[in-house]
Amino acid sequence: MLKIGSHVSFSDKGLLSATKEASSYGSSSFMIYTGAPQNTRRKPIESMYIEEGKLAMQEGGMEDIVVHAPYIINLGSYKENTYELAVSFLQEEIRRTHAIGVKNIVLHPGAFTDKDAHYGIGRIAEGLNEVLDGVKETDVKIALETMAGKGTEMGRSFEEIAQIMEKVTHNERLAVCMDTCHIHDAGYDIVNDLDGVLEQFDRTVGLDRITVMHINDSKNAVGARKDRHTPIGSGWIGFEAINRIVHHEALQGRPFILETPWIGKEAKTQRPMYEVEIALLRGDVSGRFGPEFLTEVEQLQHFFQGKEIDSRSYILDVWTLLKNDAKAKKADPREPLERLYDLVAEAALFPHLNEEQLNHRLIAWLAGKELLVTA
C-alpha cells in the first residue's frame, strides 16, 4: 500500500491527537514535531499519549511515521552558542523520537550565514558527528533534507548532501529526505526529466539513502531558489509530475509526506487540502468522496471550458504574471487558486458547497480530466 500522509500538529494529546488528525485526511503515514518548531519548550514525553497514539496508529494501519526537527537548529552556524544549542537540542529531539518509536528525524542541514559553503559543509559534518556520538543508544536516523537554496542554506545540491555525509564518521546513521518543491526550486527538472534527476541522485548520494519523501508543488519556476509550497497541481510542478514521483518504482516503500499550505479566504476558515490530495495520488477520489464529487468536477471542467481556461496554462500564466509584472501584482495579488475559486463562487455554480468543499473540487480539476477519470 502507498505510504502517503500529511504533516500534522503534535498538540494537546500528543501522538493520539496527531494520529486522529492524520486519519481524518485518509493518511497511511504522517509527520510530526515533538513540540513547537520555533522554540525549545517541550512537554515531558510521558505526557504525550504515546501508547494511546500507537494503538490508534495500529487501528488505522499507520506504522511508518516521521518526526521533523525544529527549524531553530542550525548546525552550520559559526556562533558557538547557536552551534552548541543545535547539537544539544537535536540530541534531545532524537531521544524523544526514539521514545515515540520513530526511526527517522528530518533535519534541515543548516546555513553558513557569514561564512561560505566550504565552511558550512565542514561545520555541519562536525555537528552531526558530535550529535551522533551523544545518542549511540538510539537507532534513529537523521534524514538530511534536500533544500531549495535560499539564502545560505546548505543541502541545495546533491553534491553538498554527499559531501556532508562523507565527512561524518557514522554516516550509516544518516539518510535523506527528498523534497519535491525544494529540488525543483534548486534547479533539478523533475517535470521533464525525473528519471535523469533520480539517476543523478543515485550516482551522487544513492537512492537507498532516501527514507522520506516530502511532496509539495512550487509557486516558482525551476531553479528559482525560493522554497514556497503550494497545493498539488496549483504550481509549477503540477499534478502529473508529482503523481509520477509518488508512483515511481525507484521510490516505493518510503513514506510520502504532504507539506502543502492551508488555503482559504480568511485565516479562520483556512484548511489543508490533504484529504483530496491523498485521494488523487492514491487514485481513489470516488471511493473517498463519492460519485457525485466526480460529477461536480466534470461541471467545473465545462464551466472553465466555457471561459476558455486551460488548467495548466492558467496556473503558469498567473504565476508568471505575479513574478514579472509588479503593477499587475499590485492591482490583483491573488494567486491562481484564489482567482479560480472567486470565478466559481461569483458564478454561484455550487451554492450548496462550503469553501473547503469547493477548493477540494478545484484541486481535483487541476489534476486533469484524463487523470481524474482513470482514478
Side-chain angles (χ1 to χ4, degrees):
M1 181 181 180
L2 184 66
K3 298 177 185 177
I4 186 165
S6 46
H7 195 174
V8 299
S9 57
F10 198 66
S11 54
D12 55 343
K13 291 193 175 180
L15 188 61
L16 179 59
S17 58
T19 304
K20 288 181 176 179
E21 182 185 344
S23 181
S24 73
Y25 304 131
S27 302
S28 52
S29 180
F30 59 90
M31 184 170 71
I32 54 174
Y33 298 109
T34 75
Q38 301 89 359
N39 61 55
T40 60
R41 293 191 296 273
R42 291 293 181 269
K43 292 182 179 179
I45 201 71
E46 296 79 15
S47 68
M48 302 309 288
Y49 292 80
I50 303 303
E51 294 308 316
E52 294 88 342
K54 287 181 178 179
L55 180 60
M57 284 172 55
Q58 184 178 359
E59 292 172 349
M62 292 179 272
E63 297 179 0
D64 198 359
I65 69 169
V66 182
V67 167
H68 199 302
Y71 301 133
I72 60 173
I73 292 175
N74 182 13
L75 291 176
S77 179
Y78 66 89
K79 298 177 181 178
E80 285 302 323
N81 58 339
T82 302
Y83 174 81
E84 290 170 5
L85 171 65
V87 169
S88 61
F89 194 30
L90 181 55
Q91 287 175 332
E92 180 58 25
E93 287 293 290
I94 290 172
R95 294 185 187 102
R96 289 168 68 84
T97 300
H98 178 73
I100 297 169
V102 175
K103 302 300 183 186
N104 287 282
I105 182 168
V106 174
L107 175 70
H108 293 183
F112 57 79
T113 57
D114 298 331
K115 298 292 186 176
D116 57 27
H118 178 75
Y119 176 88
I121 289 167
R123 184 66 155 172
I124 292 166
E126 176 188 355
L128 289 169
N129 275 320
E130 193 171 340
V131 167
L132 291 172
D133 281 344
V135 289
K136 291 179 180 178
E137 74 279 9
T138 77
D139 58 355
V140 175
K141 286 190 174 184
I142 300 172
L144 301 176
E145 186 165 349
T146 57
M147 304 304 291
K150 67 180 188 299
T152 64
E153 66 184 11
M154 302 300 296
R156 58 203 166 179
S157 71
F158 301 160
E159 287 77 14
E160 285 184 349
I161 295 285
Q163 288 165 19
I164 291 169
M165 286 182 156
E166 287 168 4
K167 291 180 178 294
V168 176
T169 304
H170 297 290
N171 68 21
E172 73 279 359
R173 296 281 304 278
L174 298 181
V176 174
C177 170
M178 179 177 281
D179 186 300
T180 57
C181 173
H182 293 178
I183 62 173
H184 165 88
D185 279 26
Y188 294 99
D189 190 0
I190 56 175
V191 175
N192 300 302
D193 189 23
L194 175 60
D195 285 340
V197 171
L198 293 180
E199 287 169 6
Q200 183 179 352
F201 185 90
D202 196 30
R203 290 193 306 271
T204 310
V205 182
L207 285 172
D208 59 325
R209 289 283 195 173
I210 300 174
T211 54
V212 183
M213 293 290 300
H214 282 175
I215 304 301
N216 305 292
D217 213 326
S218 174
K219 294 183 180 183
N220 293 281
V222 62
R225 295 182 177 267
K226 295 288 188 181
D227 186 12
R228 296 172 66 221
H229 299 187
T230 192
I232 304 302
S234 66
W236 280 87
I237 301 174
F239 177 82
E240 186 176 356
I242 289 175
N243 195 47
R244 286 199 302 270
I245 292 167
V246 169
H247 294 280
H248 197 286
E249 183 179 5
L251 298 174
Q252 295 313 293
R254 287 93 166 168
F256 294 86
I257 305 296
L258 290 158
E259 295 180 305
T260 51
W262 293 28
I263 62 172
K265 302 295 285 184
E266 299 179 13
K268 65 180 180 180
T269 60
Q270 287 183 355
R271 289 276 294 167
M273 293 292 99
Y274 297 151
E275 185 177 10
V276 71
E277 290 170 324
I278 289 170
L280 283 163
L281 291 168
R282 194 173 276 151
D284 188 31
V285 174
S286 182
R288 183 71 185 181
F289 295 98
E292 185 178 350
F293 183 97
L294 297 182
T295 300
E296 289 167 343
V297 176
E298 288 287 339
Q299 289 178 258
L300 276 180
Q301 176 74 9
H302 293 308
F303 173 75
F304 287 123
Q305 280 179 340
K307 293 186 173 294
E308 298 184 343
I309 293 176
D310 171 76
S311 58
R312 285 307 294 156
S313 297
Y314 184 87
I315 292 294
L316 301 186
D317 286 348
V318 173
W319 284 127
T320 301
L321 178 70
L322 292 174
K323 179 181 183 295
N324 297 333
D325 193 328
K327 288 184 178 179
K329 182 177 181 178
K330 185 176 180 180
D332 187 358
R334 293 175 303 163
E335 296 181 353
L337 199 54
E338 295 175 295
R339 297 182 185 215
L340 292 169
Y341 176 90
D342 287 344
L343 284 173
V344 178
E346 288 165 8
L349 190 60
F350 303 112
H352 60 291
L353 298 180
N354 62 29
E355 182 179 38
E356 180 182 353
Q357 291 169 333
L358 178 52
N359 278 322
H360 277 172
R361 285 147 182 81
L362 283 169
I363 293 294
W365 173 69
L366 290 173
K369 182 179 178 181
E370 293 78 12
L371 287 168
L372 186 67
V373 169
T374 60

